[in-house]
Short mmCIF file of all heavy atoms in Angstrom, two decimals:
data_model
loop_
_atom_site.label_atom_id
_atom_site.label_comp_id
_atom_site.label_asym_id
_atom_site.label_seq_id
_atom_site.Cartn_x
_atom_site.Cartn_y
_atom_site.Cartn_z
N PHE T 19 -25.55 -95.62 20.34
CA PHE T 19 -26.42 -94.49 20.00
C PHE T 19 -26.53 -94.44 18.48
O PHE T 19 -25.54 -94.29 17.77
CB PHE T 19 -25.78 -93.21 20.54
CG PHE T 19 -26.59 -91.95 20.38
CD1 PHE T 19 -27.44 -91.52 21.39
CD2 PHE T 19 -26.48 -91.18 19.22
CE1 PHE T 19 -28.18 -90.35 21.25
CE2 PHE T 19 -27.21 -90.01 19.08
CZ PHE T 19 -28.07 -89.59 20.10
N LEU T 20 -27.76 -94.56 17.97
CA LEU T 20 -28.01 -94.55 16.54
C LEU T 20 -28.68 -93.25 16.13
O LEU T 20 -29.72 -92.88 16.67
CB LEU T 20 -28.90 -95.74 16.17
CG LEU T 20 -29.45 -95.79 14.73
CD1 LEU T 20 -28.33 -95.80 13.70
CD2 LEU T 20 -30.36 -97.01 14.55
N ASP T 21 -28.08 -92.55 15.16
CA ASP T 21 -28.62 -91.28 14.66
C ASP T 21 -28.72 -91.38 13.14
O ASP T 21 -27.77 -91.07 12.42
CB ASP T 21 -27.70 -90.13 15.06
CG ASP T 21 -28.27 -88.76 14.72
OD1 ASP T 21 -29.24 -88.70 13.95
OD2 ASP T 21 -27.74 -87.75 15.23
N PRO T 22 -29.85 -91.84 12.61
CA PRO T 22 -29.96 -92.10 11.17
C PRO T 22 -30.28 -90.87 10.32
O PRO T 22 -30.27 -90.95 9.10
CB PRO T 22 -31.11 -93.12 11.09
CG PRO T 22 -31.98 -92.77 12.26
CD PRO T 22 -31.06 -92.28 13.34
N PHE T 23 -30.58 -89.73 10.96
CA PHE T 23 -30.80 -88.46 10.25
C PHE T 23 -29.82 -87.44 10.83
O PHE T 23 -30.22 -86.41 11.38
CB PHE T 23 -32.25 -87.98 10.44
CG PHE T 23 -33.29 -88.98 10.03
CD1 PHE T 23 -33.80 -89.90 10.94
CD2 PHE T 23 -33.79 -89.01 8.73
CE1 PHE T 23 -34.78 -90.81 10.57
CE2 PHE T 23 -34.78 -89.92 8.35
CZ PHE T 23 -35.26 -90.83 9.27
N CYS T 24 -28.55 -87.68 10.68
CA CYS T 24 -27.54 -87.03 11.53
C CYS T 24 -27.33 -85.55 11.24
O CYS T 24 -26.95 -84.80 12.11
CB CYS T 24 -26.21 -87.78 11.40
SG CYS T 24 -25.05 -87.44 12.72
N GLY T 25 -27.57 -85.10 10.01
CA GLY T 25 -27.47 -83.67 9.71
C GLY T 25 -26.12 -83.09 10.03
O GLY T 25 -25.07 -83.57 9.59
N THR T 26 -26.09 -82.03 10.84
CA THR T 26 -24.81 -81.42 11.20
C THR T 26 -23.93 -82.37 11.98
O THR T 26 -22.71 -82.30 11.91
CB THR T 26 -25.02 -80.16 12.07
OG1 THR T 26 -25.61 -80.52 13.32
CG2 THR T 26 -25.89 -79.13 11.36
N GLY T 27 -24.54 -83.27 12.76
CA GLY T 27 -23.77 -84.24 13.53
C GLY T 27 -23.49 -83.84 14.96
O GLY T 27 -22.84 -84.59 15.69
N ILE T 28 -23.99 -82.69 15.41
CA ILE T 28 -23.63 -82.18 16.73
C ILE T 28 -24.10 -83.11 17.85
O ILE T 28 -23.38 -83.31 18.83
CB ILE T 28 -24.19 -80.75 16.95
CG1 ILE T 28 -23.78 -80.18 18.31
CG2 ILE T 28 -25.69 -80.71 16.79
CD1 ILE T 28 -22.31 -79.94 18.47
N VAL T 29 -25.28 -83.73 17.72
CA VAL T 29 -25.78 -84.60 18.79
C VAL T 29 -24.96 -85.88 18.84
O VAL T 29 -24.50 -86.30 19.91
CB VAL T 29 -27.27 -84.91 18.59
CG1 VAL T 29 -27.76 -85.89 19.65
CG2 VAL T 29 -28.10 -83.62 18.65
N ALA T 30 -24.75 -86.52 17.70
CA ALA T 30 -23.98 -87.77 17.67
C ALA T 30 -22.53 -87.53 18.06
O ALA T 30 -21.91 -88.35 18.76
CB ALA T 30 -24.06 -88.39 16.29
N TRP T 31 -21.96 -86.42 17.61
CA TRP T 31 -20.57 -86.08 17.96
C TRP T 31 -20.42 -85.93 19.47
O TRP T 31 -19.43 -86.39 20.05
CB TRP T 31 -20.20 -84.78 17.24
CG TRP T 31 -18.82 -84.25 17.50
CD1 TRP T 31 -17.66 -84.65 16.90
CD2 TRP T 31 -18.46 -83.18 18.39
NE1 TRP T 31 -16.60 -83.90 17.38
CE2 TRP T 31 -17.07 -82.99 18.29
CE3 TRP T 31 -19.19 -82.37 19.26
CZ2 TRP T 31 -16.39 -82.03 19.02
CZ3 TRP T 31 -18.52 -81.41 19.99
CH2 TRP T 31 -17.13 -81.24 19.87
N THR T 32 -21.41 -85.34 20.12
CA THR T 32 -21.38 -85.18 21.57
C THR T 32 -21.59 -86.52 22.26
O THR T 32 -20.93 -86.82 23.27
CB THR T 32 -22.45 -84.17 22.03
OG1 THR T 32 -22.29 -82.95 21.30
CG2 THR T 32 -22.32 -83.87 23.52
N ALA T 33 -22.50 -87.34 21.74
CA ALA T 33 -22.71 -88.67 22.31
C ALA T 33 -21.44 -89.50 22.24
O ALA T 33 -21.11 -90.26 23.16
CB ALA T 33 -23.85 -89.38 21.57
N LYS T 34 -20.69 -89.34 21.16
CA LYS T 34 -19.39 -90.04 21.04
C LYS T 34 -18.45 -89.60 22.16
O LYS T 34 -17.76 -90.42 22.77
CB LYS T 34 -18.77 -89.75 19.68
CG LYS T 34 -17.36 -90.33 19.52
CD LYS T 34 -16.72 -89.95 18.20
CE LYS T 34 -15.30 -90.48 18.13
NZ LYS T 34 -14.61 -90.14 16.85
N ARG T 35 -18.42 -88.32 22.44
CA ARG T 35 -17.51 -87.81 23.47
C ARG T 35 -17.95 -88.22 24.87
O ARG T 35 -17.16 -88.13 25.81
CB ARG T 35 -17.40 -86.28 23.35
CG ARG T 35 -16.82 -85.85 22.02
CD ARG T 35 -16.79 -84.35 21.85
NE ARG T 35 -15.46 -83.79 22.12
CZ ARG T 35 -14.44 -83.84 21.27
NH1 ARG T 35 -14.57 -84.46 20.12
NH2 ARG T 35 -13.29 -83.30 21.58
N LEU T 36 -19.18 -88.67 25.00
CA LEU T 36 -19.65 -89.20 26.28
C LEU T 36 -19.34 -90.69 26.42
O LEU T 36 -19.68 -91.30 27.43
CB LEU T 36 -21.15 -88.97 26.41
CG LEU T 36 -21.58 -87.50 26.56
CD1 LEU T 36 -23.10 -87.38 26.52
CD2 LEU T 36 -21.03 -86.90 27.84
N GLY T 37 -18.70 -91.28 25.40
CA GLY T 37 -18.23 -92.65 25.50
C GLY T 37 -19.08 -93.69 24.83
O GLY T 37 -18.74 -94.88 24.84
N MET T 38 -20.22 -93.29 24.25
CA MET T 38 -21.07 -94.26 23.58
C MET T 38 -20.53 -94.62 22.20
O MET T 38 -19.90 -93.79 21.53
CB MET T 38 -22.49 -93.71 23.44
CG MET T 38 -23.30 -93.72 24.72
SD MET T 38 -24.96 -93.01 24.50
CE MET T 38 -24.59 -91.26 24.72
N ARG T 39 -20.79 -95.85 21.78
CA ARG T 39 -20.55 -96.22 20.39
C ARG T 39 -21.63 -95.53 19.56
O ARG T 39 -22.82 -95.60 19.88
CB ARG T 39 -20.62 -97.73 20.20
CG ARG T 39 -20.49 -98.18 18.75
CD ARG T 39 -20.46 -99.69 18.63
NE ARG T 39 -20.43 -100.10 17.24
CZ ARG T 39 -21.50 -100.41 16.51
NH1 ARG T 39 -22.70 -100.38 17.08
NH2 ARG T 39 -21.38 -100.76 15.24
N VAL T 40 -21.22 -94.87 18.48
CA VAL T 40 -22.15 -94.06 17.70
C VAL T 40 -22.22 -94.60 16.27
O VAL T 40 -21.19 -94.84 15.64
CB VAL T 40 -21.70 -92.58 17.71
CG1 VAL T 40 -22.56 -91.77 16.77
CG2 VAL T 40 -21.77 -92.02 19.12
N VAL T 41 -23.44 -94.77 15.79
CA VAL T 41 -23.70 -95.14 14.41
C VAL T 41 -24.54 -94.04 13.79
O VAL T 41 -25.63 -93.74 14.29
CB VAL T 41 -24.43 -96.50 14.30
CG1 VAL T 41 -24.67 -96.85 12.83
CG2 VAL T 41 -23.64 -97.60 15.00
N VAL T 42 -24.03 -93.41 12.73
CA VAL T 42 -24.71 -92.25 12.14
C VAL T 42 -24.97 -92.49 10.65
O VAL T 42 -24.35 -93.35 10.02
CB VAL T 42 -23.90 -90.96 12.35
CG1 VAL T 42 -23.69 -90.69 13.82
CG2 VAL T 42 -22.55 -91.03 11.62
N ASN T 43 -25.86 -91.66 10.11
CA ASN T 43 -26.25 -91.81 8.72
C ASN T 43 -26.79 -90.49 8.19
O ASN T 43 -27.39 -89.70 8.93
CB ASN T 43 -27.35 -92.88 8.60
CG ASN T 43 -27.87 -93.03 7.18
OD1 ASN T 43 -27.18 -93.57 6.32
ND2 ASN T 43 -29.08 -92.55 6.92
N ASP T 44 -26.57 -90.23 6.92
CA ASP T 44 -27.23 -89.12 6.23
C ASP T 44 -27.18 -89.41 4.74
O ASP T 44 -26.19 -89.96 4.26
CB ASP T 44 -26.56 -87.79 6.53
CG ASP T 44 -27.49 -86.61 6.28
OD1 ASP T 44 -27.71 -86.25 5.11
OD2 ASP T 44 -28.02 -86.05 7.27
N VAL T 45 -28.24 -89.04 4.02
CA VAL T 45 -28.27 -89.32 2.58
C VAL T 45 -27.35 -88.38 1.80
O VAL T 45 -26.89 -88.74 0.72
CB VAL T 45 -29.70 -89.24 2.01
CG1 VAL T 45 -30.54 -90.37 2.55
CG2 VAL T 45 -30.34 -87.89 2.29
N LEU T 46 -27.08 -87.19 2.33
CA LEU T 46 -26.22 -86.25 1.62
C LEU T 46 -24.76 -86.69 1.70
O LEU T 46 -24.25 -87.04 2.76
CB LEU T 46 -26.36 -84.85 2.20
CG LEU T 46 -27.65 -84.10 1.87
CD1 LEU T 46 -27.66 -82.75 2.57
CD2 LEU T 46 -27.81 -83.92 0.36
N LEU T 47 -24.07 -86.61 0.58
CA LEU T 47 -22.66 -86.99 0.54
C LEU T 47 -21.82 -86.08 1.42
O LEU T 47 -20.93 -86.55 2.15
CB LEU T 47 -22.14 -86.93 -0.90
CG LEU T 47 -20.65 -87.21 -1.09
CD1 LEU T 47 -20.29 -88.62 -0.65
CD2 LEU T 47 -20.24 -86.96 -2.53
N SER T 48 -22.07 -84.78 1.39
CA SER T 48 -21.27 -83.85 2.19
C SER T 48 -21.42 -84.14 3.67
O SER T 48 -20.43 -84.11 4.43
CB SER T 48 -21.68 -82.40 1.89
OG SER T 48 -23.07 -82.22 2.05
N ALA T 49 -22.64 -84.44 4.12
CA ALA T 49 -22.85 -84.78 5.53
C ALA T 49 -22.17 -86.11 5.86
O ALA T 49 -21.54 -86.25 6.91
CB ALA T 49 -24.34 -84.87 5.83
N HIS T 50 -22.27 -87.07 4.96
CA HIS T 50 -21.65 -88.38 5.18
C HIS T 50 -20.14 -88.26 5.35
O HIS T 50 -19.55 -88.84 6.26
CB HIS T 50 -21.99 -89.29 4.01
CG HIS T 50 -21.27 -90.59 4.01
ND1 HIS T 50 -21.35 -91.50 5.05
CD2 HIS T 50 -20.41 -91.14 3.10
CE1 HIS T 50 -20.60 -92.56 4.78
NE2 HIS T 50 -20.02 -92.36 3.61
N LEU T 51 -19.50 -87.51 4.47
CA LEU T 51 -18.04 -87.35 4.56
C LEU T 51 -17.65 -86.60 5.84
O LEU T 51 -16.63 -86.91 6.46
CB LEU T 51 -17.51 -86.61 3.33
CG LEU T 51 -17.69 -87.33 1.99
CD1 LEU T 51 -17.07 -86.52 0.87
CD2 LEU T 51 -17.08 -88.73 2.03
N ARG T 52 -18.47 -85.63 6.24
CA ARG T 52 -18.22 -84.93 7.50
C ARG T 52 -18.32 -85.88 8.68
O ARG T 52 -17.50 -85.84 9.60
CB ARG T 52 -19.21 -83.77 7.65
CG ARG T 52 -19.00 -82.90 8.85
CD ARG T 52 -19.86 -81.66 8.80
NE ARG T 52 -21.28 -81.95 8.86
CZ ARG T 52 -22.14 -81.77 7.85
NH1 ARG T 52 -21.71 -81.31 6.69
NH2 ARG T 52 -23.43 -82.04 7.99
N HIS T 53 -19.31 -86.76 8.65
CA HIS T 53 -19.48 -87.72 9.74
C HIS T 53 -18.34 -88.73 9.77
O HIS T 53 -17.90 -89.16 10.84
CB HIS T 53 -20.81 -88.45 9.59
CG HIS T 53 -21.99 -87.54 9.59
ND1 HIS T 53 -23.19 -87.87 9.00
CD2 HIS T 53 -22.15 -86.28 10.10
CE1 HIS T 53 -24.04 -86.86 9.14
NE2 HIS T 53 -23.42 -85.89 9.80
N ARG T 54 -17.85 -89.13 8.60
CA ARG T 54 -16.72 -90.05 8.58
C ARG T 54 -15.48 -89.37 9.15
O ARG T 54 -14.71 -89.97 9.90
CB ARG T 54 -16.44 -90.51 7.14
CG ARG T 54 -17.39 -91.55 6.66
CD ARG T 54 -16.81 -92.51 5.65
NE ARG T 54 -16.10 -91.93 4.53
CZ ARG T 54 -16.14 -92.43 3.30
NH1 ARG T 54 -16.91 -93.49 3.05
NH2 ARG T 54 -15.45 -91.89 2.33
N ALA T 55 -15.28 -88.10 8.79
CA ALA T 55 -14.07 -87.39 9.21
C ALA T 55 -14.07 -87.04 10.68
O ALA T 55 -13.02 -87.06 11.34
CB ALA T 55 -13.91 -86.11 8.37
N LEU T 56 -15.26 -86.73 11.25
CA LEU T 56 -15.33 -86.22 12.62
C LEU T 56 -15.93 -87.19 13.62
O LEU T 56 -15.77 -86.99 14.83
CB LEU T 56 -16.12 -84.90 12.64
CG LEU T 56 -15.63 -83.78 11.74
CD1 LEU T 56 -16.48 -82.54 11.92
CD2 LEU T 56 -14.16 -83.48 11.97
N ILE T 57 -16.64 -88.23 13.16
CA ILE T 57 -17.31 -89.15 14.08
C ILE T 57 -16.77 -90.57 13.94
O ILE T 57 -16.32 -91.18 14.91
CB ILE T 57 -18.83 -89.11 13.89
CG1 ILE T 57 -19.38 -87.72 14.24
CG2 ILE T 57 -19.51 -90.18 14.75
CD1 ILE T 57 -20.86 -87.53 13.98
N ALA T 58 -16.79 -91.12 12.73
CA ALA T 58 -16.24 -92.47 12.55
C ALA T 58 -14.73 -92.49 12.76
O ALA T 58 -14.17 -93.47 13.23
CB ALA T 58 -16.59 -92.99 11.15
N ASN T 59 -14.09 -91.41 12.43
CA ASN T 59 -12.65 -91.28 12.59
C ASN T 59 -12.30 -91.01 14.05
O ASN T 59 -12.78 -90.05 14.65
CB ASN T 59 -12.16 -90.13 11.71
CG ASN T 59 -10.70 -89.77 11.92
OD1 ASN T 59 -9.90 -90.61 12.34
ND2 ASN T 59 -10.36 -88.52 11.64
N ASN T 60 -11.43 -91.82 14.62
CA ASN T 60 -11.05 -91.67 16.02
C ASN T 60 -9.74 -90.92 16.24
O ASN T 60 -9.54 -90.35 17.32
CB ASN T 60 -10.95 -93.03 16.71
CG ASN T 60 -12.29 -93.56 17.15
OD1 ASN T 60 -13.28 -92.83 17.22
ND2 ASN T 60 -12.35 -94.85 17.46
#
């Protein structure tokens, strides 16, 4: 599941919990660090 405009991350975070491999992206540093902490981090 690819989410290149991830924003808050709620959709990708939920897709992760459904078992899919998730690739996310956001241009904002704060969003990126949030995605690393809550989505890329297992």
Side-chain angles (χ1 to χ4, degrees):
F19 185 93
L20 171 59
D21 187 346
F23 305 90
C24 198
T26 65
I28 182 66
V29 176
W31 179 82
T32 307
K34 175 184 177 180
R35 298 176 100 77
L36 292 174
M38 284 178 275
R39 175 175 176 266
V40 173
V41 180
V42 300
N43 176 73
D44 201 284
V45 292
L46 286 178
L47 176 63
S48 54
H50 172 59
L51 296 182
R52 184 170 65 248
H53 301 156
R54 283 210 311 217
L56 304 182
I57 296 175
N59 173 26
N60 278 345

